[in-house]
């Protein structure tokens, strides 16, 4: 009996390791946000973005805390937090989805692969379906992923006061970059 | 007449100086001084993680956006070209601390000598709880 349990335990550990071995992770991903009007420049960066890529099926998750964004100007940072993103109520942004054309990506082979990312993006408590293009680059076995796309403030119920309507565009540019590491 | 114009000019000049001052202040408002702030809490990394994982809302209520000091064992040091993050406590139950770039520059030797298992105290801004990273602190400084 003891032996059987032991065998099961060993097998289970083996299976778990195998599942884990199919995943890539980063805890130092980067999101840059940018918006410019003649009146105002919003230029922020968040270097604490986490993501896991499942190399078996192309599933991808990413998450970050709103408060980890840093801005060039302190005043913009204050407004971003207090007036617009409201991290007290909605502390994080999360993406859950997959690379829809993952069959065309060979993580074992160096190269640049065009990808399409499909899934649900949650910002400011609002979840929206998104479909964006991006790239996976495999170089010397190192995997990185990046995508650039715009989000509409209105769509995520982020309100801009009338006084700032002209100073802030509805479309904010996001620049996302992950350098993945093998997940033990 | 001459005097009135002179006074008006002086007034206008004063107004301009004040106006410019306000604009200058708004666009040069200093960032929050995490280094100079006294920590609102001094807490062990283990305790901090437990509190957050038990109740994230309560954790944010207590620690969110506050400067806190955490102490714990290093389980992981993540370095890239300019950024260093130190993960305390446990790989799965981490307190993930991103060091301030200035701290990294000034303490390069010390940081390079850090090893997994060392106990350190860090002071930084608590940003919240993430399912992958655990509790996240940014703009962290080394506490002696």
């Amino acid at each position: 009996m003891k032996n059987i349990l032991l065998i099961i335990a060993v097998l289970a550990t083996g299976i778990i390791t195998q599942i884990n071995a199919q995943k890539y992770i980063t805890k130092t991903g980067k999101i840059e946000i940018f918006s410019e009007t003649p009146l105002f420049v919003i230029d922020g960066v968040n270097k604490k973005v986490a993501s896991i890529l499942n190399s078996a099926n192309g599933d991808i998750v990413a998450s970050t805390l709103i408060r980890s964004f840093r801005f060039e100007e302190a005043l913009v940072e204050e407004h971003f937090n207090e007036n617009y993103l409201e991290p007290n109520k909605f502390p994080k942004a999360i993406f859950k989805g997959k690379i829809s054309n993952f069959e065309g990506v060979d993580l074992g082979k160096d190269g640049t692969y065009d990808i399409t990312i499909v899934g649900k993006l949650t910002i400011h408590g609002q979840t929206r379906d998104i479909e964006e293009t991006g790239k996976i680059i495999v170089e010397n076995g190192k995997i990185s992923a990046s995508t650039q796309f715009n989000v509409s403030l209105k769509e995520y119920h982020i309100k801009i006061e009338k006084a700032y309507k002209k100073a802030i565009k509805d479309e904010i540019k996001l620049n996302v970059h992950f350098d993945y590491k093998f997940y033990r | 007449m001459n005097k009135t114009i002179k006074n008006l000019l002086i007034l206008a000049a004063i107004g301009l100086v004040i106006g410019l001052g306000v604009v200058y202040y708004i666009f040069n408002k200093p960032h929050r001084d995490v280094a100079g702030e006294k920590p609102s809490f001094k807490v062990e990394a283990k305790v901090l993680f437990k509190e957050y994982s038990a109740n994230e809302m309560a954790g944010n209520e207590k620690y969110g956006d506050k400067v806190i000091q955490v102490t714990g064992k290093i389980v992981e040091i993540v370095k890239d070209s300019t950024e260093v993050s130190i993960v305390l406590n446990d790989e799965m139950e981490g307190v993930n601390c991103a060091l301030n770039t200035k701290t990294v520059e000034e303490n390069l030797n010390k940081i390079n000598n850090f090893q997994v298992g060392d106990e350190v105290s860090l002071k930084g801004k608590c940003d919240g709880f993430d399912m992958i990273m655990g509790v996240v602190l940014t703009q962290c400084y080394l506490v002696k």
Side-chain angles (χ1 to χ4, degrees):
Chain A
M1 189 60 189
K2 231 180 180 175
N3 281 337
I4 292 170
L5 279 179
L6 193 72
I7 289 165
I8 290 171
V10 169
L11 280 177
T13 324
I15 290 164
I16 289 164
T17 339
Q18 219 170 25
I19 291 168
N20 279 342
Q22 293 174 328
K23 285 181 180 168
Y24 292 84
I25 192 169
T26 179
K27 293 175 189 171
T28 51
K30 197 158 89 172
I31 299 176
E32 289 163 305
I33 65 174
F34 189 76
S35 162
E36 191 181 25
T37 59
L39 291 169
F40 222 39
V41 178
I42 298 173
D43 188 1
V45 61
N46 183 336
K47 292 170 182 167
K48 291 306 281 179
V49 187
S51 174
I52 293 176
L53 167 68
N54 187 330
S55 65
N57 54 16
D59 279 358
I60 198 163
V61 292
S63 63
T64 195
L65 294 163
I66 298 301
R67 283 197 178 107
S68 298
F69 275 97
R70 293 276 285 157
F71 292 82
E72 282 288 317
E73 280 168 26
L75 195 77
V76 177
E77 190 165 308
E78 207 177 290
H79 280 218
F80 177 81
N81 282 319
E82 284 170 17
N83 303 357
Y84 302 140
L85 270 295
E86 304 176 277
N88 294 336
K89 287 187 228 161
F90 315 110
K92 47 189 112 179
I94 294 172
F95 173 78
K96 277 183 187 155
K98 61 176 186 189
I99 296 166
S100 62
N101 58 340
F102 194 64
E103 65 286 346
V105 180
D106 183 356
L107 294 179
K109 205 174 141 199
D110 281 9
T112 301
Y113 304 91
D114 288 319
I115 53 169
T116 302
I117 304 152
V118 191
K120 290 185 185 304
L121 178 63
T122 306
I123 305 172
H124 196 238
Q126 302 296 316
T127 303
R128 300 285 176 266
D129 286 313
I130 63 163
E131 182 174 340
E132 305 292 346
T133 56
K135 274 187 171 58
I136 282 190
I137 296 174
V138 184
E139 202 182 346
N140 303 323
K142 280 188 178 156
I143 297 163
S144 63
S146 63
T147 173
Q148 289 88 33
F149 61 97
N150 292 337
V151 293
S152 150
L153 297 178
K154 223 181 276 164
E155 256 187 67
Y156 292 90
H157 295 190
I158 298 163
K159 290 192 194 83
I160 305 295
E161 310 98 303
K162 264 204 179 128
Y164 283 100
K165 276 263 160 75
K166 273 191 186 145
I168 300 171
K169 265 191 240 167
D170 181 59
E171 295 275 307
I172 303 280
K173 201 186 279 173
L174 296 190
N175 199 338
V176 186
H177 185 93
F178 298 138
D179 287 320
Y180 286 108
K181 276 182 193 136
F182 202 72
Y183 194 28
R184 281 182 286 159
Chain B
M1 189 62 180
N2 222 349
K3 216 176 180 189
T4 334
I5 290 174
K6 207 174 161 192
N7 283 342
L8 274 175
L9 277 175
I10 290 170
L11 247 147
I14 292 170
L16 191 70
V17 168
I18 292 174
L20 283 175
V22 169
V23 168
Y24 181 82
Y25 173 76
I26 286 175
F27 283 99
N28 290 282
K29 196 185 172 191
H31 274 96
R32 184 173 176 182
D33 177 23
V34 173
E37 247 180 79
K38 245 187 151 184
S40 301
F41 293 94
K42 291 183 180 177
V43 61
E44 266 184 65
K46 203 192 296 169
V47 175
L48 182 66
F49 184 89
K50 261 196 189 142
E51 278 186 57
Y52 254 112
S53 60
N55 188 338
E56 191 185 334
M57 287 286 271
N60 272 328
E61 193 77 28
K62 186 171 173 186
Y63 299 110
D65 208 31
K66 298 217 169 83
V67 171
I68 62 172
Q69 181 177 323
V70 282
T71 304
K73 281 217 167 80
I74 299 177
V75 290
E76 196 185 352
I77 303 167
V78 189
K79 287 181 206 165
D80 66 29
S81 51
T82 53
E83 307 293 322
V84 177
S85 278
I86 293 177
V87 184
L88 303 177
N89 192 39
D90 183 281
E91 208 148 340
M92 304 306 289
E93 302 187 345
V95 174
N96 197 315
C97 306
L99 297 187
N100 180 287
T101 30
K102 214 175 127 205
T103 304
V104 176
E105 282 164 19
E106 285 169 4
N107 299 281
L108 215 53
N109 273 334
K110 207 168 169 187
I111 291 164
N112 281 334
N113 283 330
F114 278 157
Q115 275 176 1
V116 170
D118 288 354
E119 188 167 285
V120 289
S121 289
L122 301 166
K123 184 177 88 168
K125 180 170 73 80
C126 185
D127 289 343
F129 187 77
D130 175 83
M131 57 187 173
I132 300 167
M133 294 179 282
V135 184
V136 174
L137 271 71
T138 52
Q139 299 178 55
C140 289
Y141 291 82
L142 305 179
V143 180
K144 274 172 210 156

